[in-house]
PDB file of all heavy atoms in Angstrom:
ATOM      1  N   LEU A 442     -27.728  27.730  43.794  1.00 90.00           N
ATOM      2  CA  LEU A 442     -26.398  27.822  44.408  1.00 90.00           C
ATOM      3  C   LEU A 442     -25.522  26.598  44.129  1.00 90.00           C
ATOM      4  O   LEU A 442     -24.352  26.754  43.757  1.00 90.00           O
ATOM      5  CB  LEU A 442     -26.534  28.045  45.920  1.00 90.00           C
ATOM      6  CG  LEU A 442     -26.732  29.493  46.370  1.00 90.00           C
ATOM      7  CD1 LEU A 442     -26.755  29.567  47.897  1.00 90.00           C
ATOM      8  CD2 LEU A 442     -25.648  30.398  45.817  1.00 90.00           C
ATOM      9  N   PRO A 443     -26.032  25.361  44.291  1.00 88.00           N
ATOM     10  CA  PRO A 443     -25.172  24.207  43.969  1.00 88.00           C
ATOM     11  C   PRO A 443     -24.689  24.186  42.523  1.00 88.00           C
ATOM     12  O   PRO A 443     -23.539  23.823  42.250  1.00 88.00           O
ATOM     13  CB  PRO A 443     -26.077  23.011  44.276  1.00 88.00           C
ATOM     14  CG  PRO A 443     -27.054  23.513  45.269  1.00 88.00           C
ATOM     15  CD  PRO A 443     -27.314  24.925  44.880  1.00 88.00           C
ATOM     16  N   LEU A 444     -25.549  24.592  41.597  1.00 90.00           N
ATOM     17  CA  LEU A 444     -25.160  24.575  40.187  1.00 90.00           C
ATOM     18  C   LEU A 444     -24.246  25.738  39.818  1.00 90.00           C
ATOM     19  O   LEU A 444     -23.638  25.728  38.738  1.00 90.00           O
ATOM     20  CB  LEU A 444     -26.405  24.597  39.301  1.00 90.00           C
ATOM     21  CG  LEU A 444     -27.285  23.340  39.366  1.00 90.00           C
ATOM     22  CD1 LEU A 444     -28.516  23.503  38.505  1.00 90.00           C
ATOM     23  CD2 LEU A 444     -26.495  22.106  38.946  1.00 90.00           C
ATOM     24  N   LEU A 445     -24.138  26.728  40.685  1.00 91.00           N
ATOM     25  CA  LEU A 445     -23.234  27.855  40.444  1.00 91.00           C
ATOM     26  C   LEU A 445     -21.888  27.680  41.142  1.00 91.00           C
ATOM     27  O   LEU A 445     -21.101  28.616  41.197  1.00 91.00           O
ATOM     28  CB  LEU A 445     -23.887  29.160  40.932  1.00 91.00           C
ATOM     29  CG  LEU A 445     -25.088  29.686  40.144  1.00 91.00           C
ATOM     30  CD1 LEU A 445     -25.594  30.968  40.783  1.00 91.00           C
ATOM     31  CD2 LEU A 445     -24.722  29.933  38.691  1.00 91.00           C
ATOM     32  N   GLY A 446     -21.637  26.485  41.654  1.00 88.00           N
ATOM     33  CA  GLY A 446     -20.414  26.260  42.422  1.00 88.00           C
ATOM     34  C   GLY A 446     -19.142  26.635  41.679  1.00 88.00           C
ATOM     35  O   GLY A 446     -18.259  27.290  42.226  1.00 88.00           O
ATOM     36  N   ARG A 447     -19.043  26.256  40.426  1.00 89.00           N
ATOM     37  CA  ARG A 447     -17.836  26.537  39.650  1.00 89.00           C
ATOM     38  C   ARG A 447     -17.645  28.034  39.452  1.00 89.00           C
ATOM     39  O   ARG A 447     -16.538  28.570  39.627  1.00 89.00           O
ATOM     40  CB  ARG A 447     -17.914  25.860  38.283  1.00 89.00           C
ATOM     41  CG  ARG A 447     -18.037  24.354  38.325  1.00 89.00           C
ATOM     42  CD  ARG A 447     -18.060  23.794  36.921  1.00 89.00           C
ATOM     43  NE  ARG A 447     -18.218  22.340  36.904  1.00 89.00           N
ATOM     44  CZ  ARG A 447     -18.201  21.607  35.805  1.00 89.00           C
ATOM     45  NH1 ARG A 447     -18.026  22.187  34.634  1.00 89.00           N
ATOM     46  NH2 ARG A 447     -18.339  20.307  35.858  1.00 89.00           N
ATOM     47  N   VAL A 448     -18.725  28.728  39.105  1.00 93.00           N
ATOM     48  CA  VAL A 448     -18.620  30.158  38.838  1.00 93.00           C
ATOM     49  C   VAL A 448     -18.372  30.931  40.129  1.00 93.00           C
ATOM     50  O   VAL A 448     -17.644  31.928  40.126  1.00 93.00           O
ATOM     51  CB  VAL A 448     -19.895  30.666  38.134  1.00 93.00           C
ATOM     52  CG1 VAL A 448     -19.792  32.143  37.811  1.00 93.00           C
ATOM     53  CG2 VAL A 448     -20.136  29.872  36.871  1.00 93.00           C
ATOM     54  N   ILE A 449     -18.964  30.490  41.228  1.00 93.00           N
ATOM     55  CA  ILE A 449     -18.709  31.145  42.508  1.00 93.00           C
ATOM     56  C   ILE A 449     -17.232  31.051  42.859  1.00 93.00           C
ATOM     57  O   ILE A 449     -16.614  32.038  43.290  1.00 93.00           O
ATOM     58  CB  ILE A 449     -19.581  30.520  43.615  1.00 93.00           C
ATOM     59  CG1 ILE A 449     -21.053  30.860  43.384  1.00 93.00           C
ATOM     60  CG2 ILE A 449     -19.135  31.000  44.992  1.00 93.00           C
ATOM     61  CD1 ILE A 449     -21.998  30.190  44.355  1.00 93.00           C
ATOM     62  N   PHE A 450     -16.654  29.875  42.652  1.00 92.00           N
ATOM     63  CA  PHE A 450     -15.233  29.718  42.963  1.00 92.00           C
ATOM     64  C   PHE A 450     -14.370  30.559  42.030  1.00 92.00           C
ATOM     65  O   PHE A 450     -13.406  31.193  42.464  1.00 92.00           O
ATOM     66  CB  PHE A 450     -14.843  28.245  42.849  1.00 92.00           C
ATOM     67  CG  PHE A 450     -13.387  27.994  43.127  1.00 92.00           C
ATOM     68  CD1 PHE A 450     -12.893  28.049  44.413  1.00 92.00           C
ATOM     69  CD2 PHE A 450     -12.512  27.713  42.085  1.00 92.00           C
ATOM     70  CE1 PHE A 450     -11.544  27.832  44.665  1.00 92.00           C
ATOM     71  CE2 PHE A 450     -11.174  27.498  42.328  1.00 92.00           C
ATOM     72  CZ  PHE A 450     -10.691  27.557  43.629  1.00 92.00           C
ATOM     73  N   LEU A 451     -14.718  30.583  40.745  1.00 92.00           N
ATOM     74  CA  LEU A 451     -13.964  31.401  39.795  1.00 92.00           C
ATOM     75  C   LEU A 451     -14.034  32.874  40.183  1.00 92.00           C
ATOM     76  O   LEU A 451     -13.000  33.568  40.219  1.00 92.00           O
ATOM     77  CB  LEU A 451     -14.524  31.202  38.383  1.00 92.00           C
ATOM     78  CG  LEU A 451     -13.939  32.109  37.285  1.00 92.00           C
ATOM     79  CD1 LEU A 451     -12.446  31.864  37.130  1.00 92.00           C
ATOM     80  CD2 LEU A 451     -14.669  31.893  35.965  1.00 92.00           C
ATOM     81  N   ASN A 452     -15.220  33.365  40.482  1.00 94.00           N
ATOM     82  CA  ASN A 452     -15.362  34.758  40.897  1.00 94.00           C
ATOM     83  C   ASN A 452     -14.633  35.031  42.202  1.00 94.00           C
ATOM     84  O   ASN A 452     -14.062  36.113  42.393  1.00 94.00           O
ATOM     85  CB  ASN A 452     -16.848  35.112  41.054  1.00 94.00           C
ATOM     86  CG  ASN A 452     -17.429  35.733  39.804  1.00 94.00           C
ATOM     87  OD1 ASN A 452     -16.732  36.407  39.051  1.00 94.00           O
ATOM     88  ND2 ASN A 452     -18.705  35.504  39.569  1.00 94.00           N
ATOM     89  N   LEU A 453     -14.652  34.070  43.106  1.00 94.00           N
ATOM     90  CA  LEU A 453     -13.959  34.236  44.379  1.00 94.00           C
ATOM     91  C   LEU A 453     -12.470  34.456  44.158  1.00 94.00           C
ATOM     92  O   LEU A 453     -11.872  35.388  44.717  1.00 94.00           O
ATOM     93  CB  LEU A 453     -14.192  33.005  45.264  1.00 94.00           C
ATOM     94  CG  LEU A 453     -13.428  32.952  46.585  1.00 94.00           C
ATOM     95  CD1 LEU A 453     -13.859  34.099  47.495  1.00 94.00           C
ATOM     96  CD2 LEU A 453     -13.641  31.607  47.278  1.00 94.00           C
ATOM     97  N   VAL A 454     -11.863  33.621  43.336  1.00 94.00           N
ATOM     98  CA  VAL A 454     -10.428  33.741  43.081  1.00 94.00           C
ATOM     99  C   VAL A 454     -10.111  35.060  42.379  1.00 94.00           C
ATOM    100  O   VAL A 454      -9.182  35.780  42.763  1.00 94.00           O
ATOM    101  CB  VAL A 454      -9.934  32.548  42.231  1.00 94.00           C
ATOM    102  CG1 VAL A 454      -8.484  32.756  41.800  1.00 94.00           C
ATOM    103  CG2 VAL A 454     -10.063  31.251  43.025  1.00 94.00           C
ATOM    104  N   LEU A 455     -10.891  35.398  41.357  1.00 94.00           N
ATOM    105  CA  LEU A 455     -10.634  36.629  40.609  1.00 94.00           C
ATOM    106  C   LEU A 455     -10.798  37.869  41.485  1.00 94.00           C
ATOM    107  O   LEU A 455      -9.983  38.800  41.427  1.00 94.00           O
ATOM    108  CB  LEU A 455     -11.580  36.718  39.409  1.00 94.00           C
ATOM    109  CG  LEU A 455     -11.375  35.683  38.298  1.00 94.00           C
ATOM    110  CD1 LEU A 455     -12.437  35.857  37.215  1.00 94.00           C
ATOM    111  CD2 LEU A 455      -9.982  35.794  37.698  1.00 94.00           C
ATOM    112  N   GLN A 456     -11.829  37.882  42.314  1.00 94.00           N
ATOM    113  CA  GLN A 456     -12.074  39.052  43.160  1.00 94.00           C
ATOM    114  C   GLN A 456     -11.056  39.164  44.287  1.00 94.00           C
ATOM    115  O   GLN A 456     -10.690  40.278  44.686  1.00 94.00           O
ATOM    116  CB  GLN A 456     -13.495  38.993  43.731  1.00 94.00           C
ATOM    117  CG  GLN A 456     -14.595  39.085  42.686  1.00 94.00           C
ATOM    118  CD  GLN A 456     -14.490  40.347  41.841  1.00 94.00           C
ATOM    119  OE1 GLN A 456     -14.137  41.409  42.336  1.00 94.00           O
ATOM    120  NE2 GLN A 456     -14.814  40.229  40.558  1.00 94.00           N
ATOM    121  N   VAL A 457     -10.592  38.049  44.814  1.00 95.00           N
ATOM    122  CA  VAL A 457      -9.549  38.086  45.844  1.00 95.00           C
ATOM    123  C   VAL A 457      -8.260  38.668  45.271  1.00 95.00           C
ATOM    124  O   VAL A 457      -7.613  39.527  45.885  1.00 95.00           O
ATOM    125  CB  VAL A 457      -9.310  36.676  46.428  1.00 95.00           C
ATOM    126  CG1 VAL A 457      -7.989  36.620  47.190  1.00 95.00           C
ATOM    127  CG2 VAL A 457     -10.449  36.285  47.349  1.00 95.00           C
ATOM    128  N   ILE A 458      -7.872  38.209  44.087  1.00 94.00           N
ATOM    129  CA  ILE A 458      -6.656  38.725  43.455  1.00 94.00           C
ATOM    130  C   ILE A 458      -6.787  40.223  43.184  1.00 94.00           C
ATOM    131  O   ILE A 458      -5.864  40.998  43.438  1.00 94.00           O
ATOM    132  CB  ILE A 458      -6.374  37.956  42.146  1.00 94.00           C
ATOM    133  CG1 ILE A 458      -6.033  36.491  42.460  1.00 94.00           C
ATOM    134  CG2 ILE A 458      -5.233  38.603  41.373  1.00 94.00           C
ATOM    135  CD1 ILE A 458      -5.868  35.630  41.229  1.00 94.00           C
ATOM    136  N   ALA A 459      -7.945  40.640  42.669  1.00 93.00           N
ATOM    137  CA  ALA A 459      -8.154  42.059  42.377  1.00 93.00           C
ATOM    138  C   ALA A 459      -8.144  42.903  43.640  1.00 93.00           C
ATOM    139  O   ALA A 459      -7.564  43.998  43.674  1.00 93.00           O
ATOM    140  CB  ALA A 459      -9.468  42.241  41.626  1.00 93.00           C
ATOM    141  N   ALA A 460      -8.787  42.422  44.698  1.00 94.00           N
ATOM    142  CA  ALA A 460      -8.854  43.189  45.948  1.00 94.00           C
ATOM    143  C   ALA A 460      -7.484  43.326  46.596  1.00 94.00           C
ATOM    144  O   ALA A 460      -7.151  44.390  47.137  1.00 94.00           O
ATOM    145  CB  ALA A 460      -9.829  42.517  46.911  1.00 94.00           C
ATOM    146  N   MET A 461      -6.683  42.281  46.537  1.00 95.00           N
ATOM    147  CA  MET A 461      -5.362  42.343  47.165  1.00 95.00           C
ATOM    148  C   MET A 461      -4.419  43.276  46.411  1.00 95.00           C
ATOM    149  O   MET A 461      -3.424  43.734  46.972  1.00 95.00           O
ATOM    150  CB  MET A 461      -4.769  40.937  47.264  1.00 95.00           C
ATOM    151  CG  MET A 461      -5.515  40.033  48.209  1.00 95.00           C
ATOM    152  SD  MET A 461      -4.661  38.467  48.514  1.00 95.00           S
ATOM    153  CE  MET A 461      -3.242  39.021  49.463  1.00 95.00           C
ATOM    154  N   GLN A 462      -4.719  43.575  45.159  1.00 93.00           N
ATOM    155  CA  GLN A 462      -3.894  44.492  44.377  1.00 93.00           C
ATOM    156  C   GLN A 462      -4.387  45.937  44.452  1.00 93.00           C
ATOM    157  O   GLN A 462      -3.917  46.785  43.699  1.00 93.00           O
ATOM    158  CB  GLN A 462      -3.865  44.046  42.916  1.00 93.00           C
ATOM    159  CG  GLN A 462      -3.226  42.693  42.698  1.00 93.00           C
ATOM    160  CD  GLN A 462      -3.181  42.308  41.235  1.00 93.00           C
ATOM    161  OE1 GLN A 462      -2.521  42.943  40.411  1.00 93.00           O
ATOM    162  NE2 GLN A 462      -3.896  41.252  40.878  1.00 93.00           N
ATOM    163  N   GLU A 463      -5.292  46.219  45.353  1.00 92.00           N
ATOM    164  CA  GLU A 463      -5.880  47.552  45.448  1.00 92.00           C
ATOM    165  C   GLU A 463      -4.809  48.626  45.664  1.00 92.00           C
ATOM    166  O   GLU A 463      -3.927  48.491  46.502  1.00 92.00           O
ATOM    167  CB  GLU A 463      -6.873  47.603  46.604  1.00 92.00           C
ATOM    168  CG  GLU A 463      -7.595  48.935  46.749  1.00 92.00           C
ATOM    169  CD  GLU A 463      -8.401  49.284  45.505  1.00 92.00           C
ATOM    170  OE1 GLU A 463      -9.451  48.664  45.291  1.00 92.00           O
ATOM    171  OE2 GLU A 463      -7.941  50.171  44.747  1.00 92.00           O
ATOM    172  N   PHE A 464      -4.915  49.700  44.873  1.00 92.00           N
ATOM    173  CA  PHE A 464      -3.967  50.817  44.998  1.00 92.00           C
ATOM    174  C   PHE A 464      -4.625  52.167  44.756  1.00 92.00           C
ATOM    175  O   PHE A 464      -4.585  53.059  45.596  1.00 92.00           O
ATOM    176  CB  PHE A 464      -2.799  50.644  44.022  1.00 92.00           C
ATOM    177  CG  PHE A 464      -1.962  51.882  43.865  1.00 92.00           C
ATOM    178  CD1 PHE A 464      -1.083  52.275  44.865  1.00 92.00           C
ATOM    179  CD2 PHE A 464      -2.060  52.669  42.726  1.00 92.00           C
ATOM    180  CE1 PHE A 464      -0.321  53.430  44.731  1.00 92.00           C
ATOM    181  CE2 PHE A 464      -1.309  53.821  42.585  1.00 92.00           C
ATOM    182  CZ  PHE A 464      -0.425  54.209  43.594  1.00 92.00           C
ATOM    183  N   SER A 465      -5.268  52.327  43.599  1.00 87.00           N
ATOM    184  CA  SER A 465      -5.708  53.659  43.179  1.00 87.00           C
ATOM    185  C   SER A 465      -6.749  54.264  44.109  1.00 87.00           C
ATOM    186  O   SER A 465      -6.689  55.462  44.411  1.00 87.00           O
ATOM    187  CB  SER A 465      -6.257  53.598  41.745  1.00 87.00           C
ATOM    188  OG  SER A 465      -7.368  52.720  41.668  1.00 87.00           O
ATOM    189  N   ALA A 466      -7.716  53.464  44.579  1.00 87.00           N
ATOM    190  CA  ALA A 466      -8.779  54.022  45.423  1.00 87.00           C
ATOM    191  C   ALA A 466      -8.253  54.565  46.745  1.00 87.00           C
ATOM    192  O   ALA A 466      -8.493  55.728  47.076  1.00 87.00           O
ATOM    193  CB  ALA A 466      -9.870  52.985  45.641  1.00 87.00           C
ATOM    194  N   PRO A 467      -7.526  53.779  47.543  1.00 90.00           N
ATOM    195  CA  PRO A 467      -7.009  54.365  48.791  1.00 90.00           C
ATOM    196  C   PRO A 467      -5.971  55.447  48.555  1.00 90.00           C
ATOM    197  O   PRO A 467      -5.876  56.403  49.337  1.00 90.00           O
ATOM    198  CB  PRO A 467      -6.404  53.153  49.520  1.00 90.00           C
ATOM    199  CG  PRO A 467      -6.142  52.144  48.465  1.00 90.00           C
ATOM    200  CD  PRO A 467      -7.221  52.341  47.449  1.00 90.00           C
ATOM    201  N   TYR A 468      -5.204  55.344  47.487  1.00 90.00           N
ATOM    202  CA  TYR A 468      -4.194  56.371  47.201  1.00 90.00           C
ATOM    203  C   TYR A 468      -4.853  57.712  46.899  1.00 90.00           C
ATOM    204  O   TYR A 468      -4.396  58.760  47.383  1.00 90.00           O
ATOM    205  CB  TYR A 468      -3.339  55.929  46.018  1.00 90.00           C
ATOM    206  CG  TYR A 468      -2.253  56.917  45.658  1.00 90.00           C
ATOM    207  CD1 TYR A 468      -1.081  56.984  46.399  1.00 90.00           C
ATOM    208  CD2 TYR A 468      -2.410  57.780  44.572  1.00 90.00           C
ATOM    209  CE1 TYR A 468      -0.085  57.898  46.071  1.00 90.00           C
ATOM    210  CE2 TYR A 468      -1.421  58.687  44.237  1.00 90.00           C
ATOM    211  CZ  TYR A 468      -0.265  58.742  44.995  1.00 90.00           C
ATOM    212  OH  TYR A 468       0.719  59.655  44.672  1.00 90.00           O
ATOM    213  N   MET A 469      -5.933  57.702  46.112  1.00 86.00           N
ATOM    214  CA  MET A 469      -6.579  58.943  45.721  1.00 86.00           C
ATOM    215  C   MET A 469      -7.565  59.449  46.770  1.00 86.00           C
ATOM    216  O   MET A 469      -7.717  60.658  46.956  1.00 86.00           O
ATOM    217  CB  MET A 469      -7.315  58.756  44.389  1.00 86.00           C
ATOM    218  CG  MET A 469      -6.403  58.485  43.213  1.00 86.00           C
ATOM    219  SD  MET A 469      -5.299  59.862  42.851  1.00 86.00           S
ATOM    220  CE  MET A 469      -6.467  61.162  42.481  1.00 86.00           C
ATOM    221  N   ILE A 470      -8.241  58.552  47.468  1.00 87.00           N
ATOM    222  CA  ILE A 470      -9.319  58.968  48.369  1.00 87.00           C
ATOM    223  C   ILE A 470      -8.798  59.300  49.763  1.00 87.00           C
ATOM    224  O   ILE A 470      -9.104  60.361  50.321  1.00 87.00           O
ATOM    225  CB  ILE A 470     -10.396  57.872  48.449  1.00 87.00           C
ATOM    226  CG1 ILE A 470     -11.056  57.677  47.076  1.00 87.00           C
ATOM    227  CG2 ILE A 470     -11.454  58.231  49.489  1.00 87.00           C
ATOM    228  CD1 ILE A 470     -12.058  56.551  47.036  1.00 87.00           C
ATOM    229  N   THR A 471      -8.022  58.415  50.357  1.00 87.00           N
ATOM    230  CA  THR A 471      -7.591  58.604  51.751  1.00 87.00           C
ATOM    231  C   THR A 471      -6.099  58.833  51.896  1.00 87.00           C
ATOM    232  O   THR A 471      -5.650  59.250  52.964  1.00 87.00           O
ATOM    233  CB  THR A 471      -7.982  57.375  52.594  1.00 87.00           C
ATOM    234  OG1 THR A 471      -7.247  56.225  52.120  1.00 87.00           O
ATOM    235  CG2 THR A 471      -9.474  57.095  52.498  1.00 87.00           C
ATOM    236  N   GLY A 472      -5.321  58.532  50.848  1.00 88.00           N
ATOM    237  CA  GLY A 472      -3.875  58.658  50.975  1.00 88.00           C
ATOM    238  C   GLY A 472      -3.275  57.664  51.947  1.00 88.00           C
ATOM    239  O   GLY A 472      -2.157  57.836  52.430  1.00 88.00           O
ATOM    240  N   GLY A 473      -4.034  56.611  52.258  1.00 89.00           N
ATOM    241  CA  GLY A 473      -3.556  55.600  53.205  1.00 89.00           C
ATOM    242  C   GLY A 473      -3.982  55.860  54.626  1.00 89.00           C
ATOM    243  O   GLY A 473      -3.802  55.010  55.490  1.00 89.00           O
ATOM    244  N   GLY A 474      -4.556  57.037  54.896  1.00 85.00           N
ATOM    245  CA  GLY A 474      -4.961  57.392  56.250  1.00 85.00           C
ATOM    246  C   GLY A 474      -6.364  56.921  56.584  1.00 85.00           C
ATOM    247  O   GLY A 474      -7.034  56.287  55.760  1.00 85.00           O
ATOM    248  N   PRO A 475      -6.839  57.229  57.798  1.00 86.00           N
ATOM    249  CA  PRO A 475      -6.057  57.864  58.874  1.00 86.00           C
ATOM    250  C   PRO A 475      -5.158  56.859  59.595  1.00 86.00           C
ATOM    251  O   PRO A 475      -5.532  55.699  59.744  1.00 86.00           O
ATOM    252  CB  PRO A 475      -7.150  58.386  59.808  1.00 86.00           C
ATOM    253  CG  PRO A 475      -8.292  57.430  59.608  1.00 86.00           C
ATOM    254  CD  PRO A 475      -8.246  57.021  58.165  1.00 86.00           C
TER     255      PRO A 475
END
Side-chain angles (χ1 to χ4, degrees):
L442 276 184
L444 293 177
L445 290 180
R447 300 182 182 184
V448 182
I449 291 175
F450 179 74
L451 174 62
N452 266 329
L453 174 64
V454 172
L455 293 177
Q456 295 303 323
V457 164
I458 294 175
M461 293 189 69
Q462 297 182 64
E463 183 60 74
F464 167 74
S465 61
Y468 181 78
M469 294 296 299
I470 296 176
T471 65

